[in-house]
Amino acid sequence: MKIYSPCRLSCLSILFSLLLFFVPAHAAEKHSTVAFLPFTVNASKDMSYLRDGLGEMLASRLSAEAGVVAVDKKTVDAALGAGGKVDPNQVAALAGKMGADYLLYGSVTSLGGGMSLDARVYSAATKSSETFYATAAKEGDVMTAIDNLAWSVLEKTFQKKRPGGGAAPAAAAALQTAHPDRTFRATAGLGNSSLLWSEGASQFFKTRNVPLSLEGIAIGDVDGDGALEVVMADREKVVVYKLNEGRLVEFAQIKLLARYKIHAVNVADLNGNGKAEIYISAADPGMPGSMAVEWNGKEMATLFDDARYYIRPVKVPGLGVVLAGQKAGSEGIAISGPIYILTQDGSQLVGGERLPVPTGVNIFNFAFADLDGDGEWEVAALDKWNKLVVMKQSGKVLWKSEERYGATKRFIGGTSAMQMMQQTGARRGLSKEEVSGTTDVLFEELYIPSRILVTDVDGDGVDDIIINANTATWTSLVRSSQVFESGTMVGMKWNGVGLQELWRTRKVGGYVVDYDARSHHLPLKDGVEQLYVGVVAQGSFGDVLTADESMLLVYPLQFKAPEK
């Protein structure tokens, strides 16, 4: 991706201001005061000059067209304090401190060669915020995107009509940019593979950012209306969204008990009633406390909760999709023992038949797949070093990757609040019983990798693998605090001796957290797979522990049938 230098951006800003000089300002009856706050920049490359530059350009446009008065930079910097970060929960206090009628802030995200601009305008009068969105698919579109973003704000917030009466196309539309790079090697020993990119499906789109520090996503027909909903989870809650013309509209929300943290979310219609249940695997540092919910026509009804299993729907050879679960371990091991097929007895889960998986595989790091099309299922798994391994069900290793895949910052285990209290009490000479009367089991942190998607996207009757690859800028002893500079999605196929990479999406600035495929939930009558990818916007070490915005990218994967 080409990046503007600070000098070049300054030149663009000057040019933008000169153009505005010839545009007559429409003085408002009352000049609104607007505080233009620094934008958060989420990019793997140095784009820090956009932090203040974008706000300055928006201020020029809004001043010229609506007569707004910008709060001076010194006042803004003083109100924000050290670090200069905007806390969305404190915008009302910030507006009062600066005497502003409106606050304008947001983020800039580098996306696959393009750029996404997400802005929020807070009104002190209504005590509410509006979101705005624009994109630049390439370098030459940046000024157009900024202009579209400005006119979106002018039209909705200040009731100014765009010249010519046209709507802001980039502000209303989702980001359209280049699709997965066509890295298929025709001579790579794949014979008559039908994998060919369709020219008509060379785009992906991005939704507006949502205020979640994403831990997992899934898609499914949650309400039974025949359309897929998007399920997104952070550590404390699950939010169900309708996807309406590229916009995520909240439909329902599920909150867990404060002691439990979510580490995986999945959907599946296991009871066959036409509505996908939501399965939430969650835990405190000592034990799992999972739950499932289902839409009852009015709200999300609980099917079971506080279950002592880590859970995930799994497609099992000969059985179809079942609910699988594994219990907490002991002696410092977070998960151990057999993986069971679970059934529900009232509000309780009961472990039944064991899944035939190799030793060392846990509920989160594997998938069954018939990779060579011989009718016998292999096991694809991620080891603790994030190497992708293909095994027979007996455990015999057929292939192991050199590259790392599926890395995340999700984990279970660690030190609980109760244990911290006990440790503090011990230093004061108190016993565990004197602190609480109970003891928790301390587990070493166990990282939950991204899912291994198994789907036949090219329609040749043989399973393919889709998985992510996140690039870390540095690695620390505290893995959950490492920075993922960028992420990408990878498509792989068995070539007779191992899994071969067929395609790879362009890198996205940020952390690819989780993903799901439409083929898991709806038949592909039109031949178009849709890959839904959840990304946490993240660009620098300072943002690592405070990432509070996530986005959804949707890739249409369309393939042509082989010519005979």
Side-chain angles (χ1 to χ4, degrees):
M1 171 180 174
K2 295 182 180 179
I3 300 297
Y4 287 119
S5 67
C7 178
R8 186 168 185 183
L9 186 75
S10 298
C11 293
L12 287 171
S13 183
I14 292 170
L15 175 62
F16 195 81
S17 299
L18 288 173
L19 290 173
L20 292 178
F21 179 79
F22 296 100
V23 179
H26 305 290
E29 293 181 3
K30 177 182 180 297
H31 296 303
S32 299
T33 302
V34 181
F36 294 88
L37 309 183
F39 274 59
T40 300
V41 178
N42 307 300
S44 57
K45 296 183 179 179
D46 184 15
M47 297 170 61
S48 57
Y49 49 87
L50 284 172
R51 185 175 182 269
D52 296 312
L54 180 56
E56 292 171 1
M57 284 187 276
L58 290 172
S60 295
R61 173 57 95 183
L62 268 60
S63 295
E65 297 294 343
V68 305
V69 177
V71 176
D72 67 90
K73 190 174 184 302
K74 288 184 178 179
T75 302
V76 171
D77 291 343
L80 291 175
K85 291 184 67 67
V86 181
D87 183 348
N89 297 317
Q90 299 297 321
V91 289
L94 278 175
K97 189 182 294 186
M98 292 184 284
D101 299 312
Y102 299 92
L103 301 184
L104 194 155
Y105 61 101
S107 62
V108 181
T109 305
S110 170
L111 284 174
M115 188 182 299
S116 167
L117 312 177
D118 294 85
R120 297 183 190 178
V121 176
Y122 171 79
S123 168
T126 63
K127 294 181 172 56
S128 63
S129 296
E130 293 282 354
T131 59
F132 301 90
Y133 175 59
T135 64
K138 57 183 183 300
E139 180 180 354
D141 296 338
V142 172
M143 295 306 296
T144 301
I146 294 173
D147 187 50
N148 282 330
L149 183 64
W151 272 111
S152 295
V153 176
L154 284 163
E155 288 176 321
K156 193 161 188 178
T157 305
F158 298 102
Q159 291 75 52
K160 295 296 176 181
K161 189 175 181 181
R162 176 187 290 259
L175 175 63
Q176 300 289 330
T177 189
H179 192 270
D181 293 334
R182 282 172 267 180
T183 57
F184 173 58
R185 289 87 164 175
T187 61
L190 292 171
N192 295 320
S193 172
S194 62
L195 188 64
L196 291 172
W197 288 109
S198 167
E199 295 297 333
S202 59
Q203 304 289 320
F204 72 72
F205 73 81
K206 170 196 173 294
T207 65
R208 297 182 180 184
N209 290 7
V210 293
L212 291 172
S213 185
L214 198 63
E215 287 290 308
I217 74 162
I219 59 168
D221 185 4
V222 172
D223 59 358
D225 66 352
L228 294 178
E229 280 75 49
V230 180
V231 179
M232 306 179 79
D234 61 15
R235 294 282 275 175
E236 287 80 30
K237 64 183 177 296
V238 175
V239 185
V240 182
Y241 294 96
K242 294 281 189 180
L243 186 55
N244 184 10
E245 296 182 350
R247 183 174 182 178
L248 292 171
V249 180
E250 185 172 330
F251 173 68
Q253 190 172 131
I254 307 103
K255 288 191 175 181
L256 276 72
L257 295 175
R259 64 181 288 191
Y260 295 125
K261 302 301 179 186
I262 300 168
H263 50 260
V265 61
N266 291 275
V267 299
D269 181 16
L270 300 185
N271 58 21
N273 65 356
K275 295 182 289 186
E277 307 91 60
I278 300 174
Y279 294 94
I280 305 164
S281 192
D284 63 20
M287 66 179 68
S290 300
M291 70 179 300
V293 298
E294 183 179 51
W295 182 250
N296 65 6
K298 296 181 179 179
E299 61 184 2
M300 288 295 175
T302 300
L303 299 177
F304 60 81
D305 61 3
D306 215 28
R308 299 307 178 210
Y309 286 93
Y310 300 103
I311 61 173
R312 179 171 74 95
V314 175
K315 187 175 183 179
V316 179
L319 295 178
V321 181
V322 302
L323 182 62
Q326 195 171 17
K327 290 189 174 182
S330 59
E331 298 181 356
I333 302 173
I335 302 177
S336 68
I339 300 174
Y340 295 99
I341 296 176
L342 303 177
T343 56
Q344 191 171 341
D345 182 6
S347 61
Q348 301 295 315
L349 290 182
V350 179
E353 184 180 348
R354 299 183 179 188
L355 291 186
V357 295
T359 302
V361 168
N362 69 54
I363 183 68
F364 299 111
N365 69 357
F366 82 98
F368 292 109
D370 182 7
L371 297 173
D372 54 10
D374 65 353
E376 296 185 7
W377 292 64
E378 289 77 43
V379 176
L382 287 162
D383 67 16
K384 64 180 180 180
W385 295 281
N386 291 109
K387 299 295 184 73
L388 185 57
V389 183
V390 177
M391 298 174 281
K392 291 288 188 181
Q393 291 183 30
S394 64
K396 179 183 177 182
V397 175
L398 302 176
W399 175 84
K400 186 175 183 178
S401 70
E402 294 183 0
E403 186 173 346
R404 289 180 169 87
Y405 299 99
T408 74
K409 296 192 287 186
R410 294 193 298 266
F411 65 92
I412 56 178
T415 303
S416 70
M418 182 62 69
Q419 289 165 343
M420 292 177 68
M421 290 172 62
Q422 290 170 351
Q423 291 166 5
T424 301
R427 287 195 294 270
R428 296 176 180 174
L430 302 177
S431 68
K432 292 180 180 179
E433 289 71 20
E434 288 175 309
V435 174
S436 65
T438 63
T439 60
D440 288 348
V441 178
L442 175 61
F443 292 136
E444 180 183 355
E445 290 180 354
L446 174 70
Y447 284 84
I448 309 299
S450 297
R451 70 183 74 216
I452 301 171
L453 272 179
V454 179
T455 182
D456 179 17
V457 293
D458 58 355
D460 67 349
V462 179
D463 287 335
D464 309 313
I465 296 286
I466 298 177
I467 198 166
N468 74 320
N470 282 312
T471 303
T473 55
W474 62 280
T475 303
S476 109
L477 294 176
V478 184
R479 181 173 164 186
S480 60
S481 67
Q482 70 180 332
V483 179
F484 287 116
E485 178 185 54
S486 61
T488 185
M489 297 301 301
V490 179
M492 309 180 81
K493 197 175 193 70
W494 189 258
N495 66 6
V497 294
L499 284 173
Q500 166 136 8
E501 183 177 315
L502 298 182
W503 53 263
R504 178 180 287 245
T505 64
R506 294 185 180 183
K507 287 185 177 181
V508 173
Y511 161 38
V512 175
V513 180
D514 201 5
Y515 37 87
D516 202 355
R518 187 180 79 163
S519 60
H520 287 186
H521 311 277
L522 291 178
L524 299 179
K525 296 179 181 179
D526 56 5
V528 180
E529 174 69 282
Q530 286 183 321
L531 180 63
Y532 296 73
V533 182
V535 180
V536 170
Q538 181 174 289
S540 66
F541 174 69
D543 295 334
V544 125
L545 298 178
T546 58
D548 60 355
E549 283 197 337
S550 302
M551 67 194 80
L552 181 72
L553 308 181
V554 183
Y555 293 84
L557 308 179
Q558 185 173 3
F559 302 92
K560 294 178 181 177
E563 296 182 2
K564 296 182 179 179

